[in-house]
Amino acid sequence: MFKKLFRTFAVFLFLSGSFLGKAISNELTFFTIGTGGTAYTYYPVGGMIANAISKPPGSRECGKGGSCGVDGLIASAVSSRGSVDNVNAIISGLRNSGFAQSDVAYWAYTGTGTMEGKEPAKDLRTIAALFQEHIHLVALKKSNINSVKDLKGKRVSLDEPGSGTYVDAKLILESNGLSTNDVKAEALKGKAATDALRNGKVDAIFVVAGYPTGAIVELASAVDIKLVPIDGAGAKALTSKYGFFSESPIPSGTYEGVDAVNTVAVGAQWFTSAKEDTDLIYKITKALWNKESRKLMDVGHAKGKTITPDTALSGVGVPLHPGAEKFYKEAGLLK
């Protein structure tokens, strides 16, 4: 009799667990955010935002020590090759969303600029503008590279094809009368690029990231480096031709022992697909700009404080997702 009762109870527990597991799984929504290399700014900011918008079942209530994200949502930051890779992954359905430079996204959406001749990414939609990314041209302090034109004949890492850095590095060379044929181009990313510079395998590296970016912070603490100016006629030619770029300095002390430098910047923005559910994107956008999320932004990363509702629509060149648009209208940020 005891064995029979035990078997019955075991079956009950198994079935209860199965039903409970199904119920929990039905409550969950998984949402990916394509970022960039782990040594640069996109990845840690993506993790910070993923935490802000997530709220797994069983979480404490918002305002009571718990998450103020979207009920049942588990968001994750995914390392990637960067802007172009993220746009392609969104359009193909590989990722739910991703970060990209405003120039790369606009050219992909319209099939113009560096994306001319390719099928326009008409399903690309904006969630929010996030922060400014500065183009870093890094060389060892002892080198004789003091301008973009000094890169001629040098070994230069342009980052990987598929990254926004690669796109922008080519444009910067062109605006200064050079091309990739004028340099010995390498396709290195993150720590591989900084290690190559430190070990003398390359003479300079391009990095497009919000400052301070981890890879360069680490590099500057190990060897003496300098940031090479991207200014003068070349910068003016670039900003005149492409409205996404602006002239903007990197302040002194951003990196150990490195003086202030004039360079150019471009906006980092968060994109998704038009096919994503309107209500879900509305809730995600609302969670992003929740007052509790503000606390995470302020301490989560150096760039977090610059991610604000006031600049959420700055420089947006790709249409808003209807869910995001609904939130911005409700919040009085969009007429």
Side-chain angles (χ1 to χ4, degrees):
M1 173 67 76
F2 178 77
K3 289 182 179 179
K4 186 175 180 181
L5 286 171
F6 180 79
R7 283 197 299 271
T8 303
F9 183 63
V11 169
F12 171 76
L13 286 178
F14 173 77
L15 292 174
S16 298
S18 298
F19 288 136
L20 182 61
K22 287 179 181 177
I24 290 174
S25 66
N26 287 339
E27 291 177 4
L28 291 178
T29 301
F30 296 94
F31 192 85
T32 51
I33 305 171
T35 59
T38 55
Y40 292 159
T41 309
Y42 275 9
Y43 186 75
V45 169
M48 177 181 70
I49 288 176
N51 287 336
I53 66 173
S54 295
K55 189 177 182 181
S59 299
R60 291 182 182 179
E61 289 300 311
C62 175
K64 297 181 180 179
S67 168
C68 295
V70 181
D71 287 334
L73 183 73
I74 297 178
S76 58
V78 181
S79 178
S80 76
R81 286 181 295 172
S83 294
V84 178
D85 184 39
N86 289 337
V87 168
N88 290 337
I90 291 167
I91 297 306
S92 69
L94 181 63
R95 296 184 197 117
N96 301 104
S97 71
F99 299 160
Q101 294 163 204
S102 56
D103 55 340
V104 170
Y106 178 78
W107 288 328
Y109 176 73
T110 57
T112 60
T114 60
M115 306 295 180
E116 191 167 356
K118 295 184 180 180
E119 184 74 21
K122 286 300 183 184
D123 278 340
L124 195 63
R125 294 292 182 271
T126 304
I127 296 176
L130 299 175
F131 56 87
Q132 283 289 94
E133 297 188 90
H134 285 68
I135 288 81
H136 299 65
L137 177 52
V138 192
L140 295 180
K141 199 164 192 174
K142 63 184 179 182
S143 79
N144 61 355
I145 300 172
N146 297 304
S147 70
V148 175
K149 290 185 177 181
D150 291 337
L151 295 177
K152 188 170 184 177
K154 300 293 196 296
R155 299 163 298 175
V156 184
S157 174
L158 308 180
D159 208 313
E160 297 176 319
S163 70
T165 300
Y166 184 81
V167 172
D168 289 351
K170 290 174 67 178
L171 294 177
I172 289 164
L173 289 174
E174 288 168 9
S175 68
N176 284 274
L178 301 175
S179 74
T180 52
N181 295 327
D182 292 312
V183 301
K184 297 170 184 175
E186 299 285 348
L188 303 174
K189 188 173 196 71
K191 196 170 187 304
T194 55
D195 283 350
L197 180 62
R198 181 168 54 185
N199 297 326
K201 299 291 180 65
V202 297
D203 300 303
I205 62 174
F206 278 98
V207 176
V208 180
Y211 66 74
T213 188
I216 301 178
V217 169
E218 185 179 337
L219 177 66
S221 69
V223 293
D224 291 332
I225 64 168
K226 61 184 171 185
L227 293 176
V228 179
I230 301 172
D231 58 5
K236 284 182 170 49
L238 184 73
T239 56
S240 297
K241 186 173 182 181
Y242 303 109
F244 308 102
F245 292 99
S246 60
E247 295 187 63
S248 181
I250 296 175
S252 174
T254 300
Y255 302 104
E256 186 178 335
V258 179
D259 295 333
V261 69
N262 291 321
T263 186
V264 291
V266 68
Q269 300 179 352
W270 187 13
F271 300 92
T272 188
S273 168
K275 296 175 183 176
E276 290 291 334
D277 181 72
T278 297
D279 188 54
L280 176 63
I281 300 300
Y282 166 76
K283 289 177 179 176
I284 284 172
T285 311
K286 188 174 183 178
L288 173 67
W289 302 121
N290 185 288
K291 289 182 180 178
E292 294 298 317
S293 297
R294 176 78 267 141
K295 296 175 184 177
L296 289 176
M297 302 286 186
D298 288 344
V299 300
H301 189 272
K303 275 294 174 188
K305 290 182 179 180
T306 70
I307 301 174
T308 69
D310 292 339
T311 58
L313 302 175
S314 298
V316 170
V318 173
L320 289 168
H321 188 283
E325 184 178 13
K326 178 183 175 184
F327 169 78
Y328 292 122
K329 284 182 176 177
E330 285 184 0
L333 297 170
L334 184 68
K335 294 182 180 179

